[in-house]
Amino acid sequence: MWKLKIAEGSSPWLRSLNGHIGRQIWEFDPSLGSSEDLAEIEKLREQFTKHRFEQKHSADLLMRLQFTKENPNTTILPQVKVKDIDDITEDKVTDTLRRAISFHSTLQAHDGHWAGDYGGPMFLMPGLVIALSITGALNATLSKEHKREICRYLYNHQNSDGGWGLHIEGPSTMFGSVLTYVTLRLLGEGANEGDGAMEKGRDWILNHGGATAITSWGKMWLSVLGVFEWSGNNPLPPEIWLLPYIVPFHPGRMWCHCRMVYLPMSYLYGKRFVGPITPTVLSLRKELYTVPYHEIDWDKARNECAKEDLYYPHPVVQDILWASLHKFAEPVFMNWPGKKLRDKALRTVMEHVHYEDENTRYICIGPVNKVLNMLCCWVEDPNSEAFKLHLPRINDYLWVAEDGMKMQGYNGSQAWDTSFAVQAILATELVEEFGPTLKRAHTYIKNSQVLDDCPGDLDFWYRHISKGAWPFSTADHGWPISDCTAEGLKASLLLSKLPAQIIGEPLDAKRFYDAVNVVLSLQNAEGGFATYELTRSYSWLELINPAETFGDIVIDYPYVECTSAAIQALTSFKKLYPGHRKEEVERCIEKGAKFTEKIQATDGSWYGSWAVCFTYGTWFGVKGLVAAGRSYSNCSAIRKACDFLLSKQLPCGGWGESYLSCQNKVYSNLEGDRSHVVNTGWALLTLIDAGQAERDPLPLHRAAKVLINSQCENGDFPQQEIMGVFNKNCMITYAAYRNIFPIWALGEYRCRVLRTQ
């Protein structure tokens, strides 16, 4: 049976700053589980497979089953249902909240964080399997139980037309279909196995033009594997890392996720590395193309892309650039004397790869560069210590649920979810009842703050300061993020106001000051906040975005979410520490508020870049403006935002927003105008903050009714459609949102609406 283990790391090849706090890994133990347990797990798997086309998102039921046994819920209150808004009372809302927080507390790990699924993208696992296959580490790293669960996941998320999407809820794409098909073959599935699933997948690929039409990232992976020629790739010259930083397109100026992915890609491209040509590789060369492999026009293939994948078409200037590099620059770099420059560039690239690995304890900023860095370390030296240090960190990215084993989009969302959960519980004013939960969460937040900057010359490594920041996941990961720092600071400040006997000792003031220093350092000149770093270059650089599948990846853009979180955190800090950098803090808040007003859409919404979508962005927009001193009466932006949200409220009283809002940038309801507990929570929180209760509380009562009646019998809330997003077009799971935001919204509703009437 699979078991989730928390904060463990027994391998001598694992490194940690704090005893692996926050680490969450799944291990298979054949001795675990009674026959009843195993039968129940199998039933959950069968139910998911049976309904996989109607409900594409798993509900994290294996973790819930484990934690139900380890942390039994002792609060037994009857389920609350209300027929009409007149039935809503403070007692009923309080009971709903007690049931919700009691259940959510059972999901809390012993180190204080909330574990959960952070999967969704379908292109992550293929990179891992390809890299392990090339390095010969596949069977040593992935047991037969791992392989079985990975195959289960991939088959479960095959679309009815035979293809696979960019993410679990998306339509079929060449990128998703080819890489998933290849992954299944490398895991040992035959070309005609899977009860016809493999044949259906191959038919989808061939009927849509074959693998030459895969996106550029897919071309790179296939080339490394040996089922695509490097001459069919647009250039990724490592020499770009030798340019002076003053050049606007220097990679050090790019968004860190972008540069950290293209860094190892440029190494593999620069070396034209190809793995061992195995019988499976030779067979794939026959299976994936509409013409014989030796007849493929690889030069034409460089710019081929299936229409199903084409979210960001290449502009003409990009085609000219790649053609010029391909035809003129690359022949120079591949031959003497230009090869000397190529060799120098490759050494420089590997220096940056090793710096990233060492300063994230070999977790790396994300799963794509994690796997690419690992492969580069093996290519550089198959017996290197660096490669051995990479291998045990693979487990940090793997997650098991009833739909199978997936690769997550990060090593988890531990610090982010915990900071939100604290604020949600505190909003209910049920602190004393849930003191132990808050105390454990406080411990995690304190343990996950980054205590030092990265070593060396930060400018040389293109890194921002990190001392005092909070990461998205764990201290071992360590990359500082503006909104994660702000949310960690907000939660810590709120907890510092409570008695130490309930929540433990507060953070030392010096650590609050360090966090504020990070926040202030991340404000751009126009007032907005980007994610990990300052915006270092110009938006026109998006012209050279080579990733056809993703939008806005080249530079770190400012976002309403990051800006609002910073405003809120600094406002909270100013109240408790009014003398610390007073003028800088006030100036930062006001500049951030003006930026927030400036980027509001004409319909009153804000586009949310990290969750779905306008309900999320508008929650942040309004919350930031309110924190900065704006109100419905003195701020037209808040009035327009309220009008926007009220216009989207469904007849049932809730809100339900589709991921299509993100990719199309137009508000889209879920199919059938269904409501969603997370969107409803965000909209309810926004309207309460904007003073809707004083004008017309009816929309709030209607929304509260939806949340109350959505609660499950055990106090959980249902897993509905996917709610996270990145780069406009790829969705990702935030498993804890279904619990956090109904709790937060009903808590605010109880204390700020019902109690004031």
Side-chain angles (χ1 to χ4, degrees), residues 548-566:
E548 304 88 345
T549 308
F550 307 115
D552 290 357
I553 71 165
V554 179
I555 66 169
D556 202 348
Y557 294 90
Y559 299 100
V560 66
E561 299 99 307
C562 300
T563 306
S564 169

Side-chain angles (χ1 to χ4, degrees), residues 560-561 606-614 616-618 662 725:
V560 66
E561 299 99 307
W606 282 270
Y607 179 88
S609 295
W610 304 104
V612 181
C613 170
F614 293 99
Y616 184 68
T618 303
C662 303
V725 66

Side-chain angles (χ1 to χ4, degrees), residues 354-371:
H354 290 312
Y355 186 84
E356 157 72 350
D357 290 346
E358 290 160 11
N359 285 288
T360 58
R361 277 50 62 185
Y362 289 81
I363 297 168
C364 300
I365 195 172
V368 179
N369 85 311
K370 156 70 185 172
V371 173

Side-chain angles (χ1 to χ4, degrees), residues 415-601:
W416 180 251
D417 288 340
T418 304
S419 295
F420 270 162
V422 164
Q423 294 175 74
I425 295 170
L426 292 177
T428 69
E429 297 186 7
L430 298 173
V431 172
E432 292 192 6
E433 293 181 43
F434 298 100
T437 300
L438 289 168
K439 187 173 185 177
R440 287 191 295 271
H442 191 200
T443 299
Y444 184 78
I445 291 171
K446 289 187 287 187
N447 284 331
S448 59
Q449 189 179 19
V450 180
L451 302 181
D452 293 293
D453 291 329
C454 288
D457 181 354
L458 296 182
D459 289 338
F460 178 82
W461 300 108
Y462 315 114
R463 293 292 292 260
H464 197 80
I465 62 168
S466 53
K467 183 180 180 181
W470 269 274
F472 185 69
S473 56
T474 63
D476 281 339
H477 183 285
W479 272 85
I481 311 178
S482 62
D483 54 352
C484 299
T485 301
E487 298 299 342
L489 178 56
K490 282 166 60 185
S492 300
L493 288 165
L494 287 169
L495 289 165
S496 75
K497 296 191 284 188
L498 299 176
Q501 61 265 33
I502 296 178
I503 52 87
E505 291 299 319
L507 272 185
D508 184 78
K510 178 67 169 62
R511 287 173 65 177
F512 286 134
Y513 297 163
D514 288 341
V516 168
N517 185 52
V518 171
V519 173
L520 291 174
S521 74
L522 283 166
Q523 187 172 41
N524 289 298
E526 85 285 14
F529 285 76
T531 55
Y532 294 78
E533 297 158 345
L534 291 163
T535 302
R536 295 175 175 178
S537 199
Y538 309 97
S539 57
W540 58 258
L541 266 185
E542 210 63 42
L543 285 170
I544 62 167
N545 172 6
E548 304 88 345
T549 308
F550 307 115
D552 290 357
I553 71 165
V554 179
I555 66 169
D556 202 348
Y557 294 90
Y559 299 100
V560 66
E561 299 99 307
C562 300
T563 306
S564 169
I567 293 170
Q568 295 172 56
L570 292 176
T571 302
S572 298
F573 174 79
K574 186 175 71 165
K575 291 174 183 175
L576 292 180
Y577 298 90
H580 184 76
R581 302 178 70 173
K582 183 174 184 292
E583 292 182 2
E584 292 171 84
V585 168
E586 290 176 350
R587 186 164 57 248
C588 183
I589 291 169
E590 185 56 27
K591 282 180 67 179
K594 287 180 177 175
F595 173 81
T596 301
E597 291 172 325
K598 179 182 174 184
I599 63 169
Q600 185 181 32

